[in-house]
Amino acid sequence: MVTFLPTRPGRLADVPSFDRGIGGAESNVACGLAAAGHSVKWVSRVGDDGFGRHLVERIAAHGVDTSAVRIDPSRPTGIYFRTAGERALTADAGPARGEGGPKGARSADAVRGSRDLREPDATGASHRAGGFDEGAEGSDKGAESDPAAEVVYYRTGSAASAMSPANMPAEEIRSGRVLHLSGITAALSDDCLALLHDLTAPRPGRPLISFDVNYRVDLWRDRSDAGATLLGLARAGDIVFVGADEAEAAWGVTGGSAAIRMTLPEPRLLVVKEGGRGATVFERESHEEASGEAVAVGRPGAGAAGRLHGPDTVTHVPALRVDVVAHVGAGDAFAAGFLSATLRGLPVRDRIRHGHLMAAAVLTVPGDLGAPPAREHADRLVALDDGAWGTLRLGPGWTRAEEEVRTP
């Protein structure tokens, strides 16, 4: 979607003008991976309008291959407006509905005070930092000082919501080593959900499936199957990202990361984002990797692709201290950092640390995307011992500064 950010603090009703940007969970991850030096293709649908052209041009400018993006001649490109504060955990009881979205379409998901559960709990960095003080560069004030954000979507009937197995290029989508998908897409329409089921179905030569649960309570407002749908998709993934708060909101799972792993035993890598504690990864060696052969079995305890489960290796990495400017996009950046390190074959601890650093690059800028540190810079920080890692504190401009580290 195209994002509109207020040019000054305040309620959406009072803001006189907005700056235009780009937003979208999958495109954010694609841009982050491209910035980290990887070859990335983004596949989606946009409207035949100025907003759609802006999205494709801007995402391509980040180094992402957009050649497989489809142009919808009759549906608009989605847009949304937001303020900078921390988003509420649940939707308001009486959401504001929007009329007159793009090309006059009514937006059934125009919501005031909605929450993207990927921020700030997606990385934990913002929680250690203490939140964002509106009007300041960054703050250590407690989270209770954060004003609630307003988010208004206009994307019902958008071009992206019309994605389906029939109109999307399957070969293009499956052409990479890793295919990154999001629960947001599943919520947009029945056709979008059918596309995700098709892409995550077991088949020979399927790329590694990365799935970010990305539970958006308001996108599922008119459906009662959010939990079951997202759980089924997550169980089909190879690398799954989920926040502890998401697991509780979507599935009623409490009791920490181990309880979430019990709910999701199938993924090869389960990344649990735990707010201020940091992130915990459960890594499981599957039977076919140990034997060198594919194993297809249909019994309880086998993964969605017929995997037999071995024991987990559990790795926890604490969150960083970050002077937060804005929370939006941090979860996508964490996923990009983790996937980048995965593609490089780095150990799990280093993958988590790269995720934290990429998230910190976004948390310290106003928009959804932030320039990550150079690979050598990030590798140097990732290689720190636990004591030095625990003293890192990152503020605006840290990715470019020679002396980027401040101790508490």
Side-chain angles (χ1 to χ4, degrees):
M1 296 178 295
V2 169
T3 308
F4 288 94
L5 308 174
T7 55
R8 72 180 191 193
R11 302 185 308 156
L12 287 178
D14 301 326
V15 175
S17 60
F18 298 81
D19 288 328
R20 183 181 61 178
I22 62 175
E26 297 87 352
S27 57
N28 285 345
V29 173
C31 290
L33 281 167
H38 299 280
S39 175
V40 189
K41 179 176 290 185
W42 176 61
V43 186
S44 188
R45 291 176 70 86
V46 299
D48 186 14
D49 50 38
F51 289 145
R53 286 185 283 276
H54 173 70
L55 276 176
V56 175
E57 291 169 4
R58 290 299 303 141
I59 292 171
H62 280 83
V64 176
D65 180 352
T66 59
S67 61
V69 175
R70 298 298 188 251
I71 307 299
D72 191 312
S74 59
R75 296 177 179 85
T77 303
I79 64 174
Y80 81 108
F81 297 79
R82 69 168 174 84
T83 56
E86 184 176 345
R87 298 176 182 184
L89 181 61
T90 58
D92 288 348
R97 299 289 174 173
E99 298 285 348
K103 294 187 179 179
R106 183 182 188 275
S107 176
D109 59 342
V111 179
R112 180 177 181 272
S114 68
R115 170 110 194 285
D116 261 338
L117 281 171
R118 59 187 168 140
E119 301 95 25
D121 287 337
T123 68
S126 61
H127 281 256
R128 283 192 78 181
F132 171 66
D133 184 20
E134 218 170 284
E137 286 296 313
S139 175
D140 281 326
K141 291 184 179 181
E144 67 274 5
S145 67
D146 275 2
E150 292 176 85
V151 182
V152 184
Y153 294 110
Y154 294 93
R155 61 178 170 191
T156 295
S158 68
S161 71
M163 291 187 295
S164 74
N167 62 22
M168 297 302 288
E171 293 305 313
E172 296 271 11
I173 295 174
R174 298 189 179 103
S175 63
R177 291 169 58 194
V178 175
L179 171 59
H180 182 70
L181 304 169
S182 165
I184 296 172
T185 302
L188 297 182
S189 69
D190 289 340
D191 282 343
C192 284
L193 178 56
L195 175 63
L196 261 62
H197 282 313
D198 180 65
L199 294 174
T200 57
R203 57 168 45 88
R206 188 187 82 167
L208 197 69
I209 298 295
S210 168
F211 181 72
D212 194 335
V213 172
N214 262 331
Y215 176 55
R216 304 290 198 278
V217 61
D218 291 297
L219 294 184
W220 297 91
R221 174 178 297 275
D222 298 323
R223 298 178 60 167
S224 60
D225 60 346
T229 298
L230 292 172
L231 190 61
L233 290 169
R235 284 175 169 166
D238 300 297
I239 303 173
V240 173
F241 300 90
V242 63
D245 58 347
E246 291 179 298
E248 181 176 1
W251 306 320
V253 177
T254 58
S257 59
I260 298 172
R261 182 50 157 174
M262 290 180 66
T263 304
L264 283 172
E266 296 87 356
R268 169 76 170 80
L269 286 163
L270 176 64
V271 184
V272 180
K273 299 166 288 188
E274 302 172 282
R277 290 195 64 243
T280 298
V281 172
F282 296 83
E283 180 185 22
R284 176 166 292 158
E285 184 178 14
S286 56
H287 182 78
E288 71 268 27
E289 290 172 318
S291 67
E293 299 177 356
V295 176
V297 295
R299 64 168 182 79
R307 295 171 296 210
L308 293 174
H309 305 315
D312 274 328
T313 299
V314 183
T315 307
H316 175 80
V317 175
L320 288 167
R321 291 178 173 85
V322 180
D323 294 336
V324 178
V325 172
H327 299 104
V328 178
D332 301 328
F334 180 91
F338 188 93
L339 292 174
S340 172
T342 299
L343 288 166
R344 294 173 61 195
L346 299 183
V348 169
R349 187 209 69 161
D350 294 0
R351 299 182 200 184
I352 304 171
R353 285 190 172 188
H354 274 286
H356 283 322
L357 289 171
M358 190 83 84
V362 170
L363 287 164
T364 49
V365 297
D368 286 24
L369 297 169
R375 179 173 289 186
E376 297 78 10
H377 185 176
D379 285 346
R380 177 170 57 84
L381 296 179
V382 165
L384 293 173
D385 61 37
D386 290 346
W389 176 264
T391 65
L392 286 179
R393 178 167 176 175
L394 308 177
W398 73 270
T399 61
R400 301 181 305 275
E402 292 184 5
E403 181 56 50
E404 77 293 328
V405 178
R406 288 188 286 144
T407 55

